[in-house]
Amino acid sequence: MPWTPPLEADALAALLSKVQQWTPFDGDALLDDVGAVLDDVVPPKEDLDVLAQRLRGHLMQLVNIAVTSEAGDKDPEADRLIRQAHTVRAEAMPDDPRRAVGHLRRLGWTVNELLERLVAANCLREAA
């Protein structure tokens, strides 16, 4: 009996595209970024947008892990943090540098709290 592929060509191409876009979870990078925005020293103005993008990426990875592991269904605090992550991630970066730092710190706290909650729920191993 001849072998037949499990998916059609279009489905395989879509799957390949998703695999190529995938970024593995990097707990060290996450902690470095959180530390950069929650430190007493304010990050340089030219780094604010880059840090915001990276923190948004960390948030989405954590939310995906939480949803996949059904953490929000099992734990009301995880559910609250997932909703908070969606809210803070959707907020635009303020033009005013002081408000931008405040926004970055909200992103950083949300990343940190969701990470800690997922570790406590055994959805992730502790980073670093």
Side-chain angles (χ1 to χ4, degrees):
M1 173 153 76
W3 179 81
T4 56
L7 298 172
E8 297 294 322
D10 290 343
L12 282 173
L15 180 63
L16 176 62
S17 175
K18 288 185 182 203
V19 168
Q20 289 173 330
Q21 293 172 8
W22 176 73
T23 304
F25 178 73
D26 184 349
D28 291 334
L30 179 148
L31 293 175
D32 287 346
D33 292 341
V34 167
V37 299
L38 297 182
D39 192 8
D40 290 337
V41 178
V42 175
K45 184 178 178 181
E46 59 272 6
D47 293 348
L48 299 182
D49 285 330
V50 171
L51 283 167
Q53 288 302 328
R54 289 200 311 243
L55 288 169
R56 287 184 182 109
H58 295 313
L59 268 180
M60 286 321 302
Q61 280 191 316
L62 292 174
V63 166
N64 288 337
I65 292 166
V67 169
T68 301
S69 63
E70 299 176 348
D73 297 336
K74 301 171 191 172
D75 179 9
E77 181 62 11
D79 182 56
R80 182 190 71 77
L81 288 168
I82 292 166
R83 285 185 279 111
Q84 181 178 329
H86 284 292
T87 300
V88 74
R89 184 179 183 274
E91 292 174 0
M93 182 74 149
D95 291 331
D96 176 60
R98 290 184 328 161
R99 293 183 63 221
V101 170
H103 175 67
L104 280 178
R105 290 189 171 160
R106 282 191 302 281
L107 280 167
W109 275 113
T110 304
V111 167
N112 191 55
E113 288 179 13
L114 186 53
L115 173 67
E116 287 178 358
R117 199 69 193 173
L118 293 175
V119 168
N122 293 318
C123 299
L124 275 174
R125 289 187 310 246
E126 194 165 353

